[in-house]
């Protein structure tokens, strides 16, 4: 036991010494670091003071302008770097010692960051002439052209920058977006993919690539991205519209309905986009035969943007349909329901006769029903033709119908439309066994039909 105690004392002593050494080294390191930072700040202040003295004596001192400009440029202090490089840029013609390409590029880049786009263009164009292979000059000139919505020029500059430094990833996003904005959708996709490989959360690239895929026939892939972006404050409403259109074109009306409703619930949606969402939602409800809800959104559009597209005509048409269930069936129901309605129309056309339906024919243009009518005073064979169209039926159609009546040896014919007959059609029917029933009379008869 006595032999162990000296060993323990030695171990503890060694540990204490080691701790002290580490503490001293750490303190020394902190001192050196502080001294380095302080020295750097001291050196910076000295450079600024010396250059400021020179410029006070000679505001065009190229050496002082260049030194001070470089200091502020490296710090990205654009407010202070720009006036220095702007003066250097102006001095290029009279001072051969100025690095013209460097001064022009830095003048343009500083101006770009300050949104002084006219100054930026002046400098960057000159820089590209002085040094055609200056990556920064071409890159920022491309970004500037993008800001000016001159996308084709932006593409040329950014492609040049990319050729100078193929390994740079800086060009991917502006080049992809420039292709996208200029509607070169297919060309934009590879660059936007590279952007998303680096940052999968980049909303600008996500929305652009989804739209580009939708435009180039990859709607199924685009749809996933649009649905992901629906809650986004910036791209949400437009993504809801795009997703809804994809669902709508696939006849997935309930999914489209959800897309448009989500878009309308978002905050700060521009009025034009709100109006488009309401219009599409109204059409989706019409496609699902929900006229009441469709009218709600159509009336909202009429209240906020009077005369938008065909909204007034739609309101007028569907308000009438909303109060006449049989007219709804006539114009909007599946073919089977429409034929059943036509048969009821024929069967109840004569209140004091026995009507027997002999045959019915369904075509893409019309439905025909052949019947015999028996009354105490007379008996006829009659042909009814029903058009679902709301347009104008012309004379040629009525002539063809009359010819069919003769071939079938019918005593009388009825031509019915939810639209109207032309003046020529009316004149042709005069004196012939044809009764033309237009929308007004049809609506009245359908209201009475049980």
């Amino acid at each position: 036991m006595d032999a162990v105690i000296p060993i323990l004392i030695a171990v503890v002593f060694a540990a204490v010494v080691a701790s002290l050494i580490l503490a001293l080294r750490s303190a020394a390191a902190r001192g050196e670091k502080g001294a380095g930072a302080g020295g750097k700040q001291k050196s910076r202040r000295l450079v600024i003071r010396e250059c400021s003295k020179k410029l006070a004596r000679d505001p065009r001192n190229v050496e002082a302008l260049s030194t001070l400009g470089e200091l502020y440029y490296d710090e990205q202090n654009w407010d202070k770097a720009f006036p220095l490089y702007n003066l250097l840029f102006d001095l290029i013609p009279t001072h051969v010692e100025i690095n013209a390409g460097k001064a022009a590029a830095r003048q343009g880049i500083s101006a770009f960051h300050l949104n002084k786009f006219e100054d930026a263009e002046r400098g960057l164009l000159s820089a590209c002439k002085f040094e055609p292979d200056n990556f920064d000059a071409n890159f920022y000139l491309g970004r500037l052209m993008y800001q000016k919505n001159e996308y084709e020029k932006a593409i040329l500059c950014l492609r040049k920058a990319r050729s100078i430094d193929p390994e740079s990833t800086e060009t991917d996003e502006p080049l992809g977006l420039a292709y996208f904005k200029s509607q070169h959708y297919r060309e934009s996709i590879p660059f936007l993919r590279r952007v998303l490989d680096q940052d999968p959360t980049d909303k600008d690239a996500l929305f652009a690539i989804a739209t580009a895929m939708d435009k180039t026939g990859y709607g199924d892939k685009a749809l996933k991205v649009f649905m992901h972006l629906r809650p986004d404050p910036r791209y949400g409403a437009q993504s809801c519209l795009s997703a809804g259109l994809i669902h709508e074109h696939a006849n997935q009306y309930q999914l489209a309905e959800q897309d448009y409703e989500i878009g309308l619930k978002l905050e700060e949606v521009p009025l034009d986009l709100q109006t488009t969402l309401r219009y599409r939602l109204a059409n989706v409800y019409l496609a699902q035969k929900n006229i009441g809800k469709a009218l709600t959104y159509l009336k909202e559009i009429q209240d906020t943007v009077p005369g938008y597209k065909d909204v007034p005509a739609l309101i007028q048409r569907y308000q009438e349909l909303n109060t006449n269930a049989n007219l709804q069936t006539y114009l909007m129901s599946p073919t089977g329901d429409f034929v059943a309605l036509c048969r009821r129309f024929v069967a109840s056309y004569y209140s004091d006769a026995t009507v027997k339906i002999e045959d019915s024919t369904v075509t893409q243009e019309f439905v025909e029903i052949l019947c015999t009518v028996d009354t105490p005073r007379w008996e006829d064979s009659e042909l009814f033709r029903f058009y679902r169209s709301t347009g104008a039926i012309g004379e040629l159609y009525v002539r063809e119908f009359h010819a069919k009546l003769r071939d079938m040896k019918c005593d009388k014919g009825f031509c019915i439309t939810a639209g109207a007959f032309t003046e020529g059609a009316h004149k042709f029917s005069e004196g012939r066994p044809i009764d033309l029933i237009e929308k007004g009379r049809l609506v009245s008869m359908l209201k009475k039909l049980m």
Side-chain angles (χ1 to χ4, degrees):
M1 183 68 179
D2 292 337
V4 174
I5 291 174
I7 295 172
L8 288 173
I9 292 171
V11 170
V12 171
F13 180 76
V16 170
V17 171
S19 299
L20 286 171
I21 291 171
L22 288 173
L24 289 170
R25 284 181 178 175
S26 177
R30 286 196 300 272
E32 288 175 4
K33 185 177 180 182
K40 187 175 180 181
Q41 285 298 317
K42 185 176 180 180
S43 174
R44 179 184 182 276
R45 287 195 298 269
L46 182 62
V47 168
I48 293 173
R49 185 165 57 248
E50 291 300 320
C51 289
S52 298
K53 287 179 181 178
K54 292 178 182 179
L55 291 173
R57 292 191 297 270
D58 177 13
R60 295 176 174 239
N61 185 306
V62 170
E63 181 185 357
L65 288 170
S66 299
T67 302
L68 199 54
E70 185 150 0
L71 184 148
Y72 288 133
Y73 185 88
D74 290 343
E75 293 176 351
Q76 298 186 6
N77 189 337
W78 310 117
D79 284 312
K80 292 186 176 180
F82 170 70
L84 298 169
Y85 279 112
N86 197 44
L87 182 53
L88 279 171
F89 178 71
D90 291 337
L91 294 174
I92 288 172
T94 56
H95 289 72
V96 294
E97 70 272 25
I98 296 175
N99 184 331
K102 179 179 178 180
R106 291 191 170 190
Q107 182 270 359
I109 293 168
S110 300
F112 176 85
H113 284 292
L114 295 172
N115 295 327
K116 298 177 181 290
F117 294 139
E118 288 187 12
D119 290 315
E121 185 171 0
R122 188 166 58 96
L124 293 169
L125 284 171
S126 297
C128 289
K129 290 178 183 177
F130 292 133
E131 296 179 356
D133 290 333
N134 185 318
F135 172 85
D136 288 337
N138 283 281
F139 174 69
Y140 275 97
L141 185 57
R143 289 183 63 186
L144 175 62
M145 292 299 111
Y146 181 88
Q147 290 289 341
K148 295 177 63 179
N149 299 329
E150 297 183 22
Y151 302 119
E152 297 293 347
K153 290 181 181 179
I155 290 169
L156 291 175
C157 297
L158 291 165
R159 284 180 64 87
K160 173 68 173 176
R162 185 173 180 80
S163 70
I164 296 167
D165 185 2
E167 300 302 318
S168 172
T169 59
E170 286 183 280
T171 57
D172 289 336
E173 183 159 24
L175 188 51
L177 292 175
Y179 273 125
F180 171 73
K181 292 285 190 178
S182 58
Q183 299 184 10
H184 298 307
Y185 298 116
R186 198 173 301 280
E187 291 84 351
S188 73
I189 292 175
F191 296 102
L192 295 170
R193 278 207 180 106
R194 280 194 281 269
V195 174
L196 292 169
D197 286 342
Q198 297 293 321
D199 180 8
T201 64
D202 188 315
K203 300 296 178 62
D204 293 338
L206 277 169
F207 179 76
I209 200 170
T211 305
M213 289 189 295
D214 187 27
K215 297 287 187 182
T216 53
Y218 296 96
D220 53 337
K221 294 181 179 179
L223 181 60
K224 294 177 182 178
V225 182
F226 285 135
M227 293 183 72
H228 170 71
L229 287 172
R230 287 187 307 185
D232 185 71
R234 183 177 178 189
Y235 291 114
Q238 186 62 55
S239 296
C240 287
L241 177 60
S242 298
L245 288 171
I246 294 172
H247 281 135
E248 198 176 334
H249 292 156
N251 296 329
Q252 296 175 317
Y253 297 120
Q254 290 185 336
L255 294 176
E257 178 187 325
Q258 292 175 11
D259 295 325
Y260 299 141
E261 286 179 342
I262 290 171
L264 287 170
K265 290 176 183 176
L266 295 173
E267 296 180 358
E268 298 183 4
V269 179
L271 179 60
D272 59 339
L273 190 48
Q274 281 185 13
T275 304
T276 304
L277 286 165
R278 288 191 181 108
Y279 184 79
R280 294 308 331 154
L281 185 54
N283 278 274
V284 164
Y285 280 128
L286 290 176
Q288 297 177 89
K289 310 297 187 298
N290 192 335
I291 296 175
K293 281 194 174 181
L295 282 170
T296 299
Y297 287 101
L298 291 170
K299 288 176 181 177
E300 284 183 13
I301 295 171
Q302 186 64 10
D303 289 340
T304 54
V305 188
Y308 180 80
K309 291 188 177 182
D310 58 343
V311 167
L314 289 173
I315 291 173
Q316 183 179 2
R317 178 185 181 188
Y318 287 104
Q319 273 184 329
E320 186 176 45
L321 287 175
N322 205 35
T323 59
N324 190 331
N326 286 328
L327 185 59
Q328 278 190 48
T329 302
Y330 191 97
L331 289 173
M332 302 179 66
S333 293
T335 302
D337 293 341
F338 174 58
V339 173
L341 177 66
C342 294
R343 293 172 69 92
R344 286 167 53 209
F345 183 98
V346 172
S348 62
Y349 189 80
Y350 295 102
S351 59
D352 57 349
T354 301
V355 179
K356 181 181 179 182
I357 294 176
E358 304 289 349
D359 192 20
S360 60
T361 303
V362 180
T363 73
Q364 288 186 342
E365 293 184 331
F366 54 78
V367 168
E368 281 184 346
I369 297 178
L370 177 65
C371 66
T372 56
V373 181
D374 189 9
T375 74
R377 297 188 302 276
W378 52 270
E379 183 178 346
D380 271 349
S381 174
E382 297 183 354
L383 184 65
F384 287 75
R385 176 179 287 188
F386 296 87
Y387 287 98
R388 301 185 89 170
S389 167
T390 56
I393 305 295
E395 179 183 341
L396 288 177
Y397 290 92
V398 179
R399 282 182 178 275
E400 182 271 329
F401 181 62
H402 180 254
K404 191 166 188 178
L405 290 176
R406 286 186 305 178
D407 292 343
M408 296 177 68
K409 295 182 172 53
C410 290
D411 299 297
K412 191 172 182 180
F414 296 85
C415 217
I416 302 109
T417 178
F421 292 96
T422 64
E423 184 179 351
H426 279 290
K427 285 184 177 179
F428 178 80
S429 66
E430 292 175 1
R432 292 183 171 87
I434 300 175
D435 191 359
L436 301 182
I437 300 176
E438 296 178 304
K439 179 184 175 181
R441 188 175 163 196
L442 171 65
V443 169
S444 177
M445 296 172 75
L446 288 174
K447 283 182 178 179
K448 298 176 183 177
L449 189 62
M450 299 302 293

